Every structure is written in structure tokens, then in C-alpha cells.
Amino acid sequence: MSDKNLNKNGERESSNSQVQEPPFGGQGGFVSRFVPVNIENIDTDQIIPARFLKATTREGFGKNLFRDWRYYNDDESKTRADFPLNMSQFDGEILVAGKNFGCGSSREHAAWAILDYGFRVVVSSFFADIFRNNALNNGVLPVQVSDEFLQRIFLQDNNTELTVDLEQQTIRINSTGEQEHFDINSYKKTCLLNGYDDIDFLLSNKAAIETFEKQRV
Amino acid sequence: MTDHIHTASADSPLRGAGGATLFEKIWEKHVVKTIDDGPSVLYIDKHFIHEVTSPQAFTGLNKRGIKVFRPQQVVATADHNVPTLNQHLPIKEELSRLQVEALIKNCAEHGIELYGLGHPFQGIVHVIGPELGITQPGMTIVCGDSHTSTHGAFGSIAFGIGTSEVEMVFASQCLLQSKPKLMRINVDGVLNKGVVSKDIVLYILSKISASGATGYAVEFAGSAIRSLSMEARMTICNMSIEMGARCGMIAPDETTFAYIKGRKFAPQGAEWDKKVAEWKQLFSDADAQFDEEVFINAAAIEPMITYGTNPGMGIGVSETIPTTETINDTDRSGLAKSLAYMGLEQGAAIKGQKIDYVFIGSCTNSRIEDLRMVASFVKGKKKADGVEVWIVPGSKQVEAQAIQEGIDKIFEEAGFQLRQPGCSACLGMNEDKIPAGKYCISTSNRNFEGRQGAGARTLLASPLTAAAAAVTGVVTDPRSLPNPSAGGALDS
């Protein structure tokens, strides 16, 4: 994250948890440096602890992203210098994390916190199901890579940029040229590239749903 | 018999050619349409909601200017952030109170039945659905809570969803879902005395890991599963999400029908007979094929306890904590970090570990059978000095039943505190938090860092093992203490 965009709470001033103008459709893909959190089985209680789930809006969760790993004793004045989000050399809109990312609770607040903080892509070698859906429903792209490729990313220095090309379904380490294909459901890909909304799609199928209801009685 | 895992080869000629699985039979009946090379529009029969994951979904509907499409298929309760003492008073914590008030307002505006604080049906959403007879075989059931998998114990497809998906179901009574892979976990044989359903599921987790079923719908089968009560089955399906499973399910049988019959929203009269006839068709055909099968020997299971920071990090209570040499590959890299957080040592015995708190509650183990199990174990015993014991019933109905049976008196004499229904210290959203550094033996479902409070150290176990620790003040094999109800599996 470049500091100029952060307010005093360490969150993006311009952040907005509603699905934004899709950033993944442009030519050349989505290019950014990355923040490495090389920990496996990161559960949604770590991403956003339950005590911060009391809001009735989608905004403002970014300041509590990874709360208990960023601060000692829940005290914002006691930052943990060894946690990547607190290390000034790391910057970017891509979060790279160990395998089985997002396991545990179904709280969509985890995806909202990641987006609100300023990440648009999460790279891991394995994602929990519910988190994957929640991320996609908020315009955050989960990119699942092989364990080997993930380790290659972790080995790169902090200035390395990654290119995520949703159209081509590829992720590239720009400095080395190493590249890997990633899978995504083609329906969800279309939604992300065009900013389509599942609810609009479902509402457009109302007649079919009502017919289904009548036929099954 | 030894435990083993069998994966069907991708080109297995039988896969897809045989009969249907339980999951497939229910799934096919709920597909409205399927998008080419994409997900299906899946019809949802029942939608449970609570105060924490619904407000943003209602806001979304309001922004679109639409109402809930099928409000009669939605049931609401307040459970996640409610206090478990003095529920008749206004909620002190302001943000919690605002969430509960938002739920009341939203339910009123959209015509949704709410079993809120003060209502005789209020309770943890996954406790009240089954006890009211709302949860039935063959249904599709969702809720903005990952432990929705609990309802699969009745032979339904039940899974947790995010808030955007809550909004989708509000808007259309449907979800876009891709069909998961299918896994069957067979547990055969007879359980040892003192081993209960929580131990079965912690044992399975220790074998397949906290991500071992990600991407799968899991069916639990086998003679040991068949022998369990409905409440015990719910404990197992509840924790299928801890394996990463999309859902967990058990084929309905006479035990299921007997449990549902006569409950408030159960079918009545001729409708009952018709439904039971339909429900009897809900099983995996003998020639049905699964993508993966796991075989577990029930007799090999002893009372289980977790030592780490994910639910797959469990051992038998008489075993020692794994070392980096002995642990499975999945948890090796996280072992040192986990044990540093827990303040435990590689290779050490878990038995005898001092504990500070005992939490008996949560959607995993807060039903009347759980409370009876604890009461019969502690009758005539006292809690150890310095240990705080919280019993949090899953619902107002469970609480009332416990009082009617005199279980509350047994707890009082033992020095256990019987509180009021809610999710409580399972996730520490209300005041019920475990202080940093303290050890809590808990009948809940997650031992993640900070889950029960920042810095809290959670040891997951069965109600029986938790009760034993409450009495001794240290991790204890419940079989080593006298138990008036001993004789076969203690939850039967």
C-alpha cells in the first residue's frame, strides 16, 4: 500500500466495498506488487475476528483485517513489526497467502475486510469453498496456483510485480517470466470481467423459478 | 479393520454410471435450471437467518427496492451476539443491541417469523430448526453461518453461505451453485465406553485434516453412525465444515422419523405418512459411486482432544502431542506456530494439562442430551477450585427441559453456571470471552487463534471429556472417573 492512500486507521481512503468498476478486463492484465503472508490455514477468524462483526454495513472492516496479527494485545499503538502488513517494504493490491486460505466461518466480512483494505486479488494454493464464493461476489479474485508456484512467488523480492490476466486465466511473475494457468468457473469469469451481478441474473429467472415452484407441489 | 482412504480413479467406469447418491437424489429435485458450463440455479426450501450476517443483505434488497420473495420460507432468531445472562434486560453492548434491533425491524418489514430474545423458541439457529421440526429430510437448507451443515443430519442438503448469497435467497429463493464432488465417510464397528459422537468427528478430522473434504459434499454412513441418536448425528454433521466440506449428511431412517414426529412444524396426519414414504427413498443406492471413500474403525476411537489451532489437530486423550517428525504433512509447517500460541510442547502428554475454563455449549454440543450427559457424569461431584464452568443451553426449549428434569440443580451443586441460550463463548461475540493466555476446554467446534477471545487457548472435546476436566481441573480421560451412567456408549 502506498502510504498516501491510507488514513490514520491504516485503511484506504477511497475504499468502497460495493463491487466496483471491474479492474480485470483491461489489456495486459492486472499488474501489482504483492504482500506475502506465508502462513497456511488462515481462517476467517484471523482475517476478521468475530468481535468486529457488529456493523450493519459492508464498509470499514479493512482497519481490522488480520487484527490480532497486526497488533499486540489488541492495541493499535503496539504494531507487530514482523507481520507483513506492517512492513513498509511490502506494498500492492495482491495478497499472497499459504494454502487453505479462508477456512472456517462463512462470514463475508472476511472478503469485505480484504477489499476494504485495498486488495483485489488473493493468491493461494488452496481456498476454502465459502470464502472463494464470498470473494467472487465482492469482486475480489481468488487465484489458485500450484504449491510450487506459490513457493516461487514467496521467494521473490519485495519489488517484484505479478500480472494477473483474468481473460487468459494466467498469473505471471514479471521479473522471471514464470507463468501459470489458473481455473475459474466460466460464469463467474464473465461476471467479473463485465461487472455482472448474480442477483440480477436470478431476478431475470423469476418466471422459471415460479414455474418450478408450481410443478413440484 | 484399519482406517483407510480410497479415491475412485477419474476414469472409473462406474462413476456416474451407477445408482444415485443421497446427495444427487436431493440435488436433482432442486435444480431449476443449469447454466451451460456454469452453476445451477438451485431452489432453497428453508432459509435461516440471524442478526450478524443478515443486515447487509436486507440493505441490499432495500437498495434494489424489492421485498423478500418467499418470507414464509425464512425463519429468524437472535443468537450470535446476545448476552447469556439477564436476557430480560436491554442488551448493554451498543453495537450488539443495534444488530438485534435491525433484525427485529427487518423481519417486521419483510414479514419474516422471528424467534427473538424473550421468545420461547429463541436459541442457536442450528438447535431450533431441528427441535421445531422445521428441518426435514430431502430439503435444501441454507443460513449465513457455516455450521448450517448441522441440518444435514436429517438427510438434507444444508450449507453455510455468505451475506451476498443471503441476499440472493431473499430475492429469488434460489442460489447459483456448482455441484460438489462426493465423499462418503464410513464409520463401522462399536464405540468404546466413554466415546461419543464428538469424539468420532474429532477423530475423522485428525485423520483427514481441516481441509480434507474441501470441495466435497460428505455423506456419513456405517453401523456406528446408524447407532447414534439424532442429536449425536447433528454433532457430526455440524463439524463437517471443519473438514472444509460443502455439507455433511446422513440418510434418514426410523431414528430420524421418530425424532421429527409430533414436533411443532412436522407434517401431520395423512401428510405425515406421505412424507415418510418419500423420505424412505432418501439413501445412496447400493451401486452409487463416490469420488472418494473413507473407512473408519469405530473401535479404534478413544476420547479425543485438540492441542493445536485448527480442528484437525486432535489426538486421543491418552496420546502425546505430535512432533514435527510424527505429525501429518498437512499440519507440519504450522505446528510450531500453533504450539507457541497454545503454550504446549511437542511430544508432551495432553493428559494433566491444567485448564482454567470449561465451556459446554454451541451448535455442536448444547442440546438436551449433551446436558444430560454432563449432569449424569457430574452428579455428586464438584468442580475443581479455580476453574470456571459455563453451561450454555442451545435454546429456550433446551433450557426449560433441563430445569424440568432438575439438571439445573445438579449443575448448581457442582458449581457449574447454567446460563441463557446463545452462541456465547464459541466465538466470543458477546461478553462471554476467555481471557488471553487462559486454557478453555470447550465443546464447541473451532480452536482457531483468538476464537474464544483474543489470546484465548481452546481445547476442543466432547461434553463428557469437558465435564471430567471441570471436576479435576486438568485434561482427564473421562473413563478414569466413576460415572453413574456408565455402561456402553455414554451418549446412548
Side-chain angles (χ1 to χ4, degrees):
Chain A
M1 309 300 105
S2 57
D3 288 338
K4 64 182 185 299
N5 289 332
L6 302 183
N7 65 19
K8 60 182 166 48
N9 292 323
E11 71 208 285
R12 292 239 152 173
E13 287 286 13
S14 59
S15 63
N16 173 0
S17 294
Q18 297 302 316
V19 176
Q20 300 163 337
E21 189 62 25
F24 302 115
Q27 286 294 312
F30 182 81
V31 183
S32 172
R33 290 168 61 199
F34 66 96
V35 179
V37 179
N38 193 355
I39 299 172
E40 294 179 356
N41 295 310
I42 296 178
D43 58 78
T44 52
D45 276 85
Q46 304 320 313
I47 299 171
I48 183 84
R51 61 187 186 279
F52 301 112
L53 305 186
K54 293 178 182 178
T56 52
T57 64
R58 291 170 179 243
E59 291 79 28
F61 291 102
K63 70 179 175 204
N64 295 319
L65 177 68
F66 296 121
R67 174 79 183 198
D68 292 334
W69 286 345
R70 276 161 78 186
Y71 308 110
Y72 288 106
N73 304 321
D74 203 14
D75 182 343
E76 284 175 31
S77 68
K78 293 180 184 159
T79 53
R80 296 171 65 137
D82 61 348
F83 189 64
L85 266 65
N86 294 334
M87 297 163 79
S88 59
Q89 67 265 42
F90 295 120
D91 189 12
E93 295 179 67
I94 299 176
L95 175 67
V96 183
K99 74 179 170 202
N100 198 25
F101 185 83
C103 56
S105 157
S106 64
R107 59 188 69 161
E108 192 162 317
H109 312 68
W112 298 336
I114 286 168
L115 179 63
D116 195 40
Y117 187 86
F119 293 117
R120 295 308 303 259
V121 176
V122 183
V123 179
S124 178
S125 57
F126 200 72
F127 288 95
D129 273 345
I130 304 177
F131 175 81
R132 184 196 299 269
N133 279 342
N134 286 342
L136 288 166
N137 284 332
N138 287 278
V140 172
L141 178 62
V143 174
Q144 185 163 321
V145 297
S146 65
D147 282 322
E148 295 73 29
F149 195 80
L150 185 70
Q151 294 314 316
R152 290 296 303 155
I153 298 176
F154 282 132
L155 287 174
Q156 305 305 313
D157 74 35
N158 57 329
N159 288 315
T160 304
E161 286 184 328
L162 305 178
T163 299
V164 176
D165 189 328
L166 177 57
E167 186 72 56
Q168 300 298 319
Q169 295 179 224
T170 57
I171 176 167
R172 188 172 71 247
I173 301 171
N174 290 6
S175 55
T176 66
E178 290 163 278
Q179 180 167 307
E180 197 169 271
H181 178 85
F182 65 87
D183 287 329
I184 182 170
N185 175 312
S186 64
Y187 166 82
K188 276 293 176 192
K189 177 178 172 179
T190 307
C191 288
L192 273 181
L193 286 172
N194 299 290
Y196 294 161
D197 181 312
D198 279 353
I199 296 181
D200 290 336
F201 176 82
L202 286 166
L203 289 173
S204 74
N205 279 279
K206 230 23 172 321
I209 294 166
E210 284 172 334
T211 304
F212 175 87
E213 286 178 323
K214 288 194 191 92
Q215 283 171 349
R216 70 198 294 261
V217 173
Chain B
M1 190 174 84
T2 52
D3 304 331
H4 64 278
I5 296 173
H6 166 72
T7 307
S9 64
D11 55 355
S12 164
L14 291 173
R15 179 81 193 101
T21 62
L22 169 63
F23 180 91
E24 288 164 331
K25 287 179 182 179
I26 301 170
W27 176 273
E28 298 307 332
K29 283 200 164 165
H30 289 83
V31 173
V32 176
K33 65 186 276 190
T34 299
I35 302 167
D36 289 344
D37 193 25
S40 295
V41 177
L42 189 72
Y43 191 80
I44 303 301
D45 294 315
K46 291 291 173 197
H47 184 194
F48 293 102
I49 63 169
H50 60 83
E51 74 278 19
V52 175
T53 58
S54 67
Q56 294 87 350
F58 281 113
T59 305
L61 284 192
N62 294 342
K63 276 185 184 164
R64 289 169 197 267
I66 56 176
K67 288 283 182 193
V68 171
F69 179 50
R70 293 288 181 248
Q72 290 184 330
Q73 288 167 243
V74 188
V75 176
T77 192
D79 57 2
H80 275 63
N81 71 23
V82 299
T84 56
L85 293 173
N86 296 317
Q87 287 185 345
H88 62 289
L89 298 176
I91 299 174
K92 276 190 242 166
E93 213 280 320
E94 189 192 358
L95 291 175
S96 295
R97 192 180 70 245
L98 291 175
Q99 269 190 337
V100 170
E101 286 172 358
L103 183 69
I104 294 168
K105 178 173 162 286
N106 286 326
C107 287
E109 280 178 13
H110 290 268
I112 293 168
E113 185 81 62
L114 168 63
Y115 302 133
L117 276 187
H119 194 287
F121 296 161
Q122 180 266 338
I124 303 174
V125 62
H126 310 309
V127 174
I128 70 169
E131 79 181 3
L132 290 170
I134 298 169
T135 301
Q136 294 170 17
M139 286 180 165
T140 48
I141 298 172
V142 296
C143 174
D145 186 281
S146 62
H147 292 109
T148 307
S149 57
T150 311
H151 306 262
F154 291 79
S156 62
I157 295 178
F159 55 97
I161 56 177
T163 298
S164 293
E165 293 169 314
V166 170
E167 189 179 340
M168 291 174 207
V169 182
F170 279 162
S172 67
Q173 204 55 39
C174 288
L175 274 177
L176 289 162
Q177 283 286 306
S178 297
K179 195 168 160 186
K181 291 186 286 184
L182 303 176
M183 178 189 292
R184 180 161 59 188
I185 299 179
N186 305 275
V187 188
D188 282 295
V190 178
L191 291 172
N192 291 306
K193 198 162 76 174
V195 175
V196 297
S197 67
K198 181 65 162 286
D199 300 308
I200 297 177
V201 73
L202 287 174
Y203 183 83
I204 295 169
L205 270 155
S206 75
K207 294 292 174 193
I208 72 168
S209 92
S211 58
T214 302
Y216 290 89
V218 173
E219 179 178 344
F220 297 96
S223 59
I225 301 291
R226 288 270 145 253
S227 73
L228 298 173
S229 71
M230 283 316 297
E231 296 193 1
R233 292 179 190 184
M234 282 188 246
T235 300
I236 292 183
C237 287
N238 171 276
M239 289 192 73
S240 50
I241 181 63
E242 309 311 336
M243 308 162 197
R246 181 83 62 82
C247 64
M249 59 204 310
I250 295 170
D253 58 12
E254 293 300 331
T255 303
T256 320
F257 310 146
Y259 177 95
I260 298 170
K261 192 168 191 180
R263 290 185 186 266
K264 184 166 176 63
F265 295 103
Q268 312 281 332
E271 180 66 11
W272 170 259
D273 295 334
K274 180 170 162 267
K275 283 288 183 191
V276 171
E278 283 174 24
W279 295 344
K280 285 183 173 172
Q281 305 306 310
L282 297 174
F283 55 86
S284 289
D285 295 332
D287 56 346
Q289 290 291 307
F290 291 82
D291 298 289
E292 187 152 330
E293 291 228 41
V294 176
F295 298 88
I296 300 284
N297 176 12
I301 306 173
E302 67 164 317
M304 296 288 293
I305 190 156
T306 64
Y307 59 86
T309 54
N310 75 56
M313 300 173 92
I315 51 176
V317 71
S318 68
E319 294 182 297
T320 53
I321 296 169
T323 64
T324 37
E325 286 74 37
T326 62
I327 198 169
N328 61 54
D329 291 345
T330 313
D331 288 315
R332 182 171 294 123
S333 71
L335 181 65
K337 183 175 186 294
S338 265
L339 292 182
Y341 179 85
M342 292 297 294
L344 298 173
E345 300 288 336
Q346 295 190 24
I350 193 83
K351 200 153 58 181
Q353 168 63 41
K354 186 183 173 302
I355 53 123
D356 307 291
Y357 285 79
V358 178
F359 173 61
I360 292 168
S362 88
C363 55
T364 313
N365 282 121
S366 66
R367 297 178 179 83
I368 191 65
E369 288 179 11
D370 299 312
L371 270 51
R372 284 181 190 142
M373 193 194 308
V374 173
S376 91
F377 186 85
V378 303
K379 192 169 186 178
K381 302 186 184 84
K382 292 254 185 256
K383 77 172 181 70
D385 288 341
V387 174
E388 189 147 347
V389 185
W390 295 338
I391 313 262
V392 181
S395 70
K396 292 301 284 182
Q397 294 205 77
V398 171
E399 180 188 38
Q401 182 73 23
I403 291 168
Q404 193 194 321
E405 294 180 16
I407 288 174
D408 57 329
K409 298 284 187 302
I410 295 171
F411 291 152
E412 196 179 327
E413 283 161 19
F416 293 10
Q417 190 181 30
L418 180 64
R419 298 168 80 108
Q420 293 171 303
C423 298
S424 181
C426 172
L427 81 167
M429 268 200 83
N430 68 353
E431 303 85 343
D432 306 347
K433 293 180 176 67
I434 308 304
K438 297 293 184 188
Y439 290 91
C440 178
I441 188 163
S442 177
T443 67
S444 56
N445 39 60
R446 288 187 177 135
N447 51 354
F448 297 152
E449 286 184 31
R451 171 79 176 179
Q452 297 194 286
R457 292 160 163 170
T458 302
L459 306 166
L460 300 176
S462 77
L464 210 50
T465 305
V471 169
T472 60
V474 297
V475 173
T476 301
D477 186 334
R479 298 170 298 184
S480 66
L481 295 179
N483 180 357
S485 76
L490 298 178
D491 66 342
S492 62

